[in-house]
């Protein structure tokens, strides 16, 4: 029986990643009635992952959750190691020498592919890169988005598609006080986009967006929603679905969409179109995106289990840009088992495993554990399940060789890694808020790592 977590021997846990699941896991660990040290490793100099780089700038309230995370970071047994890439600056096996357990909570930073011709044409972008760009993520600042055309197409009808559509449809005035990057504001101010067409492969009763997000699309200053009322004629199974209590959220979506058919343009210049039952077949263009081709679908099967079937009928739309918004995908870290199809680390209740064995002392939480789904709050119970597994395993964990955080710092220093502490982040934070104040915004992020480091 190990004495890990006791007064004599602190349990040492490394968390890889600093987004919501990482912070919820840290918080849950530090609330245990055990002696636990939590060190969090983040590849950027700044914390909060998808809250900082995924949540849309005009959804400021959602970002308030960082205040809860800051409280966790104040705990005396918590340390932040920013600007450290696990898998590059330190391998998972090297990390293991310093920690009794590791929780991988590094999210899903890549994107799913459609696997159709034309996906790589100029003007065909992923929603993930656009979101990261407008949120000032340093890895995406050299991306170029061409908004010199009037028609934009978005494939996929999740909440990320709604974020992308909203950012394209809002006026600069609606965005200028947010923490959207100043460069993005300047690019969007020149945008010629007049129509945004969002395509879903299933029907209005199956769309993945949630009610508050779709409702907002009917409340924009210079854009109004357009839906063909015929698209809202639901088949029998879909009608049954929306009357079922289990699908209450979908019923709300359909009600909002029905309301959209009554909204008048009121001199608004931009149009937000929703199209249903359309699967992307091809992105067409000579050298760049000029058209997108869809197959018209129908739904077959019983309520709750309906599947799409192509009808053999096709339609095309002329467009200048196309965003593929069909879901985020996790990426592997060397040494960790990985399921490429699902984009997750295989696990049982958060315990990392491959087809044969559980990897003792290794855990996952958040999107890299369960795939890219759910809202920020979904990560709390997910992280708690992982922490529960870790605590249950306490007696079987192998104590690490070097139980000393000072030695981790020395190890990284020897590798010439400039580690950023939470106190350093607070300096970056203050500098960003000050930069924002000068521009009349909540914050102007440093969009380059060098800028972040120079603020320390
Ligand atoms: P998502 O909700 O899974 O939506 C993905 C969309 O892509 C769905 O419409 C899906 O259609 C479609 N799709 C997938 N593969 C496709 C294909 N091959 N061809 C055509 N369409 C395809 O993913 P997401 O929008 O990236 O969002 C990720 C998670 O973050 C979600 O849980 C979302 O709610 C959350 N999020 C929340 C907020 C918020 O709360 N404000 C904001 C952003 C994101 P099917 O439904 O038919 O599969």
């Amino acid at each position: 029986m190990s004495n890990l977590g006791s007064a004599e021997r602190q349990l040492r846990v490394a968390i890889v990643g600093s987004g919501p699941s990482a912070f919820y896991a840290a918080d849950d660990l530090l609330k245990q009635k055990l002696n636990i040290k939590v060190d969090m490793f983040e590849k950027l100099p700044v914390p909060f992952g998808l809250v900082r780089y995924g949540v849309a700038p005009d959804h400021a309230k959602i970002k308030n959750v960082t205040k809860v995370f800051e409280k966790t970071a104040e705990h005396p047994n918590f340390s932040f190691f920013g600007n450290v890439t696990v898998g590059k600056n330190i391998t998972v096996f090297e990390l293991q020498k310093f920690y009794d357990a590791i929780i991988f909570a590094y999210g899903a930073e890549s994107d799913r592919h459609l696997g159709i011709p034309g996906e790589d044409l100029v003007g065909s972008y992923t929603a993930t890169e656009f979101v990261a760009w407008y949120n000032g993520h340093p890895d995406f600042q050299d991306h170029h988005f061409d908004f010199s055309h009037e028609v934009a197409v978005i494939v996929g009808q999740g909440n990320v598609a709604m974020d992308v559509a909203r950012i394209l449809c809002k006026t600069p005035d609606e965005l200028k006080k947010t923490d959207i990057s100043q460069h993005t504001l300047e690019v969007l101010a020149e945008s010629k986009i007049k129509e945004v067409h969002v395509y879903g492969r299933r029907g209005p009763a199956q769309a993945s967006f949630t009610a508050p997000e779709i409702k907002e699309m009917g409340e924009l200053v210079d854009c109004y929603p357009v839906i063909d009322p015929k698209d809202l004629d639901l088949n029998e199974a879909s009608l049954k679905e929306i009357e079922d209590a289990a699908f209450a959220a979908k019923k709300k979506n359909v009600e909002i969409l029905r309301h959209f058919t009554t909204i008048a343009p009121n001199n608004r210049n931009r149009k937000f179109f929703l199209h249903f039952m359309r699967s992307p077949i091809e992105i067409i263009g000579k050298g760049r995106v000029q058209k997108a081709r869809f197959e018209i679908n129908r739904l077959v099967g019983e309520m709750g289990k309906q599947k799409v079937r192509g009808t053999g009928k096709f339609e095309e739309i002329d467009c200048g840009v196309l965003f593929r918004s069909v879901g985020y995908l996790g990426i592997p870290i060397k040494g960790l088992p990985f399921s490429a199809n699902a984009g997750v680390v295989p696990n049982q209740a958060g315990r990392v495993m491959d087809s044969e064995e559980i990897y003792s002392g290794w855990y996952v939480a958040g999107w890299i554990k369960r795939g890219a789904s759910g809202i920020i709050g979904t990560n709390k119970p997910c992280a708690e399940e992982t922490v529960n597994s870790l605590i249950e395993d306490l007696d079987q964990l192998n104590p690490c060789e070097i139980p000393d955080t000072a030695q981790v710092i020395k190890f990284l220093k020897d590798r010439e890694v400039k580690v950023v502490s939470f106190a350093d982040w607070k300096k970056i934070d203050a500098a960003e808020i000050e930069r924002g104040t000068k521009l009349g915004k909540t914050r102007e992020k440093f969009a380059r790592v060098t800028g972040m480091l120079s603020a320390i």
Side-chain angles (χ1 to χ4, degrees), residues 57 59 103 106 183 199 202 226 386 391 406 429 432 442:
H59 281 177
I103 299 179
Y106 60 92
H183 172 59
Y199 284 83
R202 298 192 284 161
V226 183
T386 298
I391 301 298
D429 186 31
E432 288 187 344
T442 51

Side-chain angles (χ1 to χ4, degrees), residues 184-438:
T184 303
L185 266 185
E186 286 159 17
V187 173
L188 290 177
E190 298 297 315
S191 166
K192 300 278 183 289
I193 291 176
K194 289 247 164 60
E195 294 184 4
V196 174
H197 294 255
V198 179
Y199 284 83
R201 59 185 171 182
R202 298 192 284 161
Q206 290 81 31
S208 319
F209 48 66
T210 45
E213 281 65 31
I214 186 65
K215 187 164 172 277
E216 261 187 286
M217 295 309 299
E219 297 164 348
L220 304 181
V221 170
D222 197 31
C223 177
Y224 62 97
V226 183
I227 294 190
D228 182 348
K230 280 196 281 233
D231 278 359
L232 299 176
D233 289 339
L234 306 185
N235 68 4
E236 210 174 302
S238 298
L239 283 170
K240 276 192 200 157
E241 277 176 22
I242 61 167
E243 289 314 324
D244 190 291
F247 295 88
K250 303 293 183 195
K251 183 175 186 178
K252 186 83 196 145
N253 280 352
V254 173
E255 284 167 5
I256 293 165
L257 296 174
R258 290 204 169 117
H259 168 65
F260 277 6
T261 62
T262 68
I263 292 181
N266 283 343
N267 296 323
R268 285 176 287 189
N269 287 305
R270 283 183 175 148
K271 295 180 199 171
F272 164 71
F273 290 82
L274 276 157
H275 306 270
F276 297 95
M277 309 283 209
R278 306 284 190 272
S279 279
I281 297 298
E282 188 178 358
I283 305 166
I284 303 163
K286 286 204 177 93
R288 60 157 302 115
V289 172
Q290 290 171 323
K291 284 176 196 290
R293 183 171 164 82
F294 292 87
E295 179 166 15
I296 301 170
N297 294 328
R298 65 195 169 91
L299 286 170
V300 295
E302 50 187 280
M303 69 165 281
K305 293 182 185 159
Q306 297 190 80
K307 298 253 180 298
V308 290
R309 292 275 182 279
T311 59
K313 291 187 189 134
F314 299 86
E315 67 179 29
E316 289 180 1
I317 177 169
D318 291 337
C319 58
V321 285
L322 182 144
F323 293 90
R324 291 111 62 197
S325 183
V326 294
Y328 285 74
L329 203 62
I331 56 168
I333 289 186
K334 204 167 173 218
L336 262 185
F338 190 70
S339 159
N341 274 348
V344 298
V345 172
N347 69 92
Q348 243 175 29
R351 294 177 179 94
V352 173
M353 60 180 297
D354 61 16
S355 52
E356 299 188 347
E357 54 165 344
I358 299 262
Y359 284 52
S360 172
W362 288 10
Y363 300 86
V364 276
W367 279 7
I368 198 64
K369 170 186 174 186
R370 59 173 208 278
S373 67
I375 57 171
I376 287 173
T378 315
N379 292 297
K380 195 168 162 39
C382 172
E384 283 169 4
E385 180 191 56
T386 298
V387 170
N388 286 344
S389 296
L390 194 162
I391 301 298
E392 271 172 33
D393 297 347
L394 216 50
D395 285 343
Q396 284 98 55
L397 292 181
N398 290 323
C400 66
E401 283 170 39
I402 314 166
D404 183 1
T405 290
Q407 291 301 317
V408 185
I409 295 170
K410 183 177 176 307
F411 176 95
L412 291 167
K413 203 171 168 207
D414 290 348
R415 291 237 167 128
E416 295 179 2
V417 182
K418 165 93 187 82
V419 176
V420 174
S421 67
F422 209 78
D424 291 335
W425 148 245
K426 293 304 287 177
K427 289 183 199 159
I428 300 172
D429 186 31
E432 288 187 344
I433 292 171
E434 195 187 323
R435 279 154 52 97
T437 307
K438 286 185 188 144

